Structure formats: C-alpha cells, structure tokens
Amino acid sequence: MKLKQVVLSIENSPNRLYEVTKALGDAGINLRALSLVDTGAFGQVRLLVSDVAKTRQILMKMHMPAYVNEVVAVVIEDKPGQLAKVLKPLTVAGVLVKYTYAFVGFAPDKAVMIFRFSDNDKAITVLENEGVKILDADAFGIL
C-alpha cells in the first residue's frame, strides 16, 4: 500500500525543472504526481513516476542525486471537510503528517492526497480501520 517516491533537490533556475521533466519524458517515464517546494536556493521535487529505478538512473546520469522514500496515497471525496475527516483518526492515534500534496481528477468527485507520515504503517492501519481507500502502485501505473 505504500508507494515509492523519488525525491531530489534542484537549483532554483528557470530551466532546471524543465530539464528534469524533459529527460524523464524522453525516456518514456510518466509523471503520476509531482510536488515542488521552494527551500531557498534550491527546490525540493517529489515525484511519483511510472518507473522508479529508471528515473533514478537518469537522474544520476544528470548528476542529480535522488533518493527514494515511501508515501501513502489516499482517495477522499472532493468536497469540503473530507480531509479533516481523514485526519481526525490519525490525530487521535498520534500519527504526524510530515507533508502532503494532492490532485483532483483521479475519478469523478474524488481527490487523491499523497502523505508522508511519521509512521506510514500505523497510518495505513488507522486509515484502513476507518474504511479509507488507499491506492497501491498498480492504481498509479508504477513499476
């Protein structure tokens, strides 16, 4: 139920994100989700991609070290209050949300939240006990 996410730092320059996405696209790698956060002189890019191993190889050839960590993708209804509804049992269980990003359009009236938790395994257990739908790699087309 956990997804492999590629994380890398890139210089805050006009073309760096383009270079990364162009190289991945040219290699046939599909971006499933992307988050870019400004951290000053650098940005931190988090990617869900169709082929994690190939992505790391390409980035290493570009002299852009990347690491892989695990995240959890949760489907919620695309309406007010649904994120709070998902977060409440996690809060009660003492699970910290380290970061999250989201996208809509996955399915009609649904949103997908990508989470990195203080304890992903505990979060999955809590969410499953609440009947929350958690997406696996197959749902994202990730190898």
Side-chain angles (χ1 to χ4, degrees), residues 84-132:
K85 183 178 175 182
V86 168
L87 293 176
K88 183 175 182 179
L90 293 165
T91 301
V92 170
V95 177
L96 171 69
V97 175
K98 290 188 169 189
Y99 59 81
T100 186
Y101 52 102
F103 61 93
V104 295
F106 182 78
D109 302 321
K110 302 291 182 195
V112 174
M113 300 294 303
I114 310 296
F115 290 101
R116 174 96 171 142
F117 296 109
S118 56
D119 185 335
N120 283 334
D121 293 325
K122 184 175 180 180
I124 289 169
T125 299
V126 169
L127 293 170
E128 287 178 334
N129 288 341
E130 293 292 322
V132 175

Side-chain angles (χ1 to χ4, degrees), residues 8-55:
L8 68 147
S9 293
I10 61 172
E11 300 90 356
N12 281 339
S13 68
N15 63 340
R16 202 56 166 157
L17 184 61
Y18 165 76
E19 291 171 354
V20 170
T21 58
K22 174 90 167 81
L24 296 179
D26 288 349
I29 295 171
N30 197 359
L31 300 178
R32 310 309 296 158
L34 181 148
S35 170
L36 172 61
V37 179
D38 179 16
T39 61
F42 287 86
Q44 186 172 66
V45 181
R46 296 180 176 114
L47 300 166
L48 294 180
V49 294
S50 58
D51 189 330
V52 174
K54 190 173 179 183
T55 296

